[in-house]
Amino acid sequence: MRELWNVSSSPHVRSHEGTSNLMLDVALALLPATAFGVYRFGLYALCLILVSVGFALLTEYVFEIWTGRENTLMDGSALVTGLLLGLNLPPYVPLWIAMIGSIFAILVVKQLFGGIGQNIMNPAMAARCFLLISFAGYMNQFPALDGMSSVTPLTAMRNGEPVDLAAMFTGLTNGTIGEISTLAILAGGLYLLVKKVIDWVIPITYLGTFALFMLLFSGRGMDVHYLLAQLCGGGLMIGAWFMATDYTTSPITEKGRFVYGILLGVLTGIYRLWGASAGGVSYALIFCNLLVPLIERMTIPKPFGWEGQKNG
Amino acid sequence: MGNGSFRGGVHPFDGKDMSKDKPITEYLPKGDLVYPLSQHIGAPAKAVVSPGDEVLAGQILGEATGFISANVVSSASGKVKAIERRMLATGVISESVIVENDGMYRLAPGLGTLRDPSQMTKEEIRLAVKEAGIVGLGGAGFPTHVKLTPKDDAAIDYVIVNGAECEPYITGDYRLMLEEPERIVAGLKAILCLFERAEGVIAIESNKPEAIARMREAASGADRIKVQALKTKYPQGAERNLVYAVTGRRLNSRKLPADLGCIVSNTDTVLAVGMAVCEHLPLMRRIVTVTGDGIANPQNFRVKTGTNLAELVEAAGGFKGEPAKVIAGGPMMGMALTVLDIPVTKTTSALLALTEDEVERFAPTDCIRCGRCVKACPAGLVPQKMREASERYQLDLFEKLHGMECYECGSCTFACPARLPLTQGFKEMRKAVMDRRRKAQAQKQAGGKS
């Protein structure tokens, strides 16, 4: 018999769903997009993903040893960061780009701000933006593939060229490794919804607002083909389902999630219509990440029983 | 009307299968009986017996002092051995009357006579409840006669019997509804005699279809009484959620159910009211579920108040394996015990022994801001932010984040994938804020006098 029973404050039971389960689910949900990217761009793309995942894990491990912190590799968050960064790289950048991006994501964006849950920007997105600014040449190169154009569908649309919507939906286009197949991303997003890892609010308000914004301001009016191509193009889908839903950098309040999704939709629209490059999801995400503390502060809900009342 | 549910909540493993098909068995105590004079909300009762006195079952040992207080009644006949300080399940030490049980259970004169509440005045009914020492048996321990005395009887339009029993593992109310539905209905009818305009609603979670059927049957002849099924979700039985689920009305920390026209009492309490009014029997027993994977033979017992918990464990076949944690009450809001030498009080609903302590198994990690606590909170709070306030002991911020609306149900802590002890911090903060308010109040009064 034990001499003493455990004593702690209630509740005495815990949900079996822990941080590592959630992160593993996100990684699983990214598998279709990963597999399709490797199928489309070949083994070199797989190498890029492995390097970015590997260096994300290594950076986290070394930093934690160096600073005498508890090892957090098993929570799975560095894995997800590395994977997301890899999927957001063009398919033929040099391996050292992936390496630098991963180190920046984990060291500067995540660990220097306090580690998991403390970063003010999504590490993978911030690293992508860092790479876009620092190595614009590499990061905007999409070599021609099996006779297809070396421009991404978004750039083509900007130049007024026609795009193949079906190819964009299935993923037979050019772009970063993980963003090309809307179908694969939606499959992953659906998995996250069904497993209740994410809820619908942010992706749907983001995509909905973006579509509405383009309808009003693109000058194309009710051009369904154009709208759908905009929705399927670039990093919007992977951004809406996997980046905007990042726990740490999105609002935890219910109303805040709506505000965040709407802001993302509007900003992405602005960047896509009037920004310097054809894309804009990365910058919209980073910008809105920084607004999250403010959004949360302004959307603290009225408690139950105080709705519409001043006090409480 | 309510929609039978509420926003938020969680679905913990309910563990009720272990004991839900075990009929209630009467357990007669072997050792001395211990009656704490402070086992309810409000002023402690004052002992009206002395060591050496002979007492009878149903005799008052401690008398209510002040408006919010309750009598303490002997559940057996015998001799008062001592009046001394004893520890309760909450860890509180209370002055207690110790009675040496003679095993005869001789009833005090005048008790046990049948009465018809419809022939009694409201004063007589309320007096019967007060004399009987009835308090909320669901766990709150609020004196029932006070609850049944709102400012205006005519303003009450709902009397809700809380049969939700949303705490995992506990099956006492469920068994009562199966085995003694008529007595519950009798209690409800007695309460309805006080509130002419009210409708009686027996509210039961949908995972107890047999109980719903039995209660419907028992209430079928009665006008003004209906049975409502509620969604199965923790904490459906919390007062604010229950009132909302049944009536659509929204309580908060500053409002009593009576302010919104509702009287809410738990099943066993209503049954006790029925016994006090119709059978003139004071509160001498309650149902205790002794269960968990660390108990050899989980049971539902009808227990004399004052019975030692160690006896109940023995009666349920003793411990099985090595219990890691022993809890008085359910796993969501119960108290972890260090010893079993504790009496069954009016609010002891269960004794739970678990061979694995999930709090120990899942060590806390850093918050990932997933927002599950926000979704789980039935009070509509943002526990993630409240935790930041409690970690830094920022009382003002905690109040600003509406922390005082928390009723410590534990849903946020259950849901947290980082396994953070959120509720623990909130309990400390709420206590600190209440202490601060009391001090400010005392200072104001002292200032006013000088």
Side-chain angles (χ1 to χ4, degrees), chain A residues 105-145:
Chain A
I106 297 293
L107 180 68
V108 179
V109 187
K110 184 182 178 188
Q111 291 297 352
L112 291 188
F113 278 84
I116 188 169
Q118 297 295 319
N119 45 290
I120 57 172
M121 292 183 282
N122 180 316
M125 268 301 98
R128 179 175 143 83
C129 291
F130 163 74
L131 295 173
L132 272 171
I133 296 164
S134 311
F135 310 103
Y138 287 116
M139 290 296 286
N140 286 311
Q141 239 173 46
F142 296 92
L145 203 71

Side-chain angles (χ1 to χ4, degrees), chain A residues 31-42 167 170-173 177 180-181 184:
Chain A
L31 272 188
T34 310
F36 189 85
V38 173
Y39 156 76
R40 176 92 177 124
F41 298 115
T170 51
L172 297 171
T173 55
I177 300 169
I180 46 173
S181 172

Side-chain angles (χ1 to χ4, degrees), chain B residues 42-64:
Chain B
K46 186 170 137 274
V48 291
V49 291
S50 310
D53 287 2
E54 290 283 337
V55 293
L56 294 167
Q59 185 176 332
I60 293 173
L61 301 174
E63 246 171 24

Side-chain angles (χ1 to χ4, degrees), chain A residues 128-200:
Chain A
R128 179 175 143 83
C129 291
F130 163 74
L131 295 173
L132 272 171
I133 296 164
S134 311
F135 310 103
Y138 287 116
M139 290 296 286
N140 286 311
Q141 239 173 46
F142 296 92
L145 203 71
D146 51 22
M148 279 193 68
S149 142
S150 66
V151 288
T152 62
L154 273 192
T155 313
M157 276 173 11
R158 200 173 236 222
N159 301 340
E161 295 157 21
V163 288
D164 180 350
L165 189 59
M168 288 175 73
F169 185 73
T170 51
L172 297 171
T173 55
N174 218 333
T176 69
I177 300 169
E179 78 181 13
I180 46 173
S181 172
T182 300
L183 185 64
I185 293 163
L186 284 180
L190 193 66
Y191 174 78
L192 292 183
L193 278 182
V194 170
K195 293 273 287 188
K196 293 193 173 156
V197 175
I198 61 170
D199 70 18
W200 61 271

Side-chain angles (χ1 to χ4, degrees), chain A residues 62-101:
Chain A
V62 170
F63 181 86
E64 281 165 351
I65 295 246
W66 181 42
T67 55
R69 272 154 223 256
E70 208 177 319
N71 181 311
T72 56
L73 285 191
M74 291 320 283
D75 69 25
S77 63
L79 168 78
V80 168
T81 295
L83 186 55
L84 278 173
L85 178 68
L87 295 178
N88 276 289
L89 294 174
Y92 302 111
V93 293
L95 292 177
W96 58 262
I97 291 253
M99 195 179 93
I100 290 181

